[in-house]
Amino acid sequence: MAVRVSSGRLSADPRSGRRGRHHVSESSVQKAVARAVRLAGVPKVAGCHTLRHSFATHLLEDGYDIRTVQELLGHADVRTTMIYTHVLNRGGRGVRSPLDAAV
């Protein structure tokens, strides 16, 4: 079952005149995520912040630059972003040769 989050009211875009749903409150998104976690049967506590941590971790695992991740998360100090690197723990396998990407 899909969990939908949308505004309860229609509004008109002032530039295009197109009518549609607009902004959604933060609490509506949080409730929708909590409901989705419950419906999925996830046995652990998870919420919007869990998704933020997962997003950052996956970006770093995929080789994105830590400064890019820092900017995306809105961290003022890179040391805050470096918290996410503790889960990488890849040892020598963490080094990728440019030749590996060429194949």
Side-chain angles (χ1 to χ4, degrees), residues 11-82:
S11 62
D13 184 313
R15 288 167 287 204
S16 69
R18 184 173 160 247
R19 293 184 57 78
R21 307 252 178 231
H22 203 44
H23 299 286
V24 179
S25 71
E26 185 177 320
S27 66
S28 294
V29 174
Q30 290 169 340
K31 287 175 186 176
V33 169
R35 183 168 185 254
V37 167
R38 190 176 61 252
L39 289 172
V42 176
K44 295 187 176 194
V45 176
C48 294
H49 206 73
T50 308
L51 298 177
R52 177 179 168 87
H53 284 287
S54 297
F55 175 66
T57 302
H58 285 293
L59 288 176
L60 292 170
E61 284 177 338
D62 289 344
Y64 282 85
D65 178 84
I66 194 156
R67 295 283 181 182
T68 301
V69 177
Q70 174 190 0
E71 185 177 329
L72 288 170
L73 295 179
H75 293 160
D77 192 328
V78 74
R79 289 178 290 187
T80 307
T81 313
M82 290 178 71

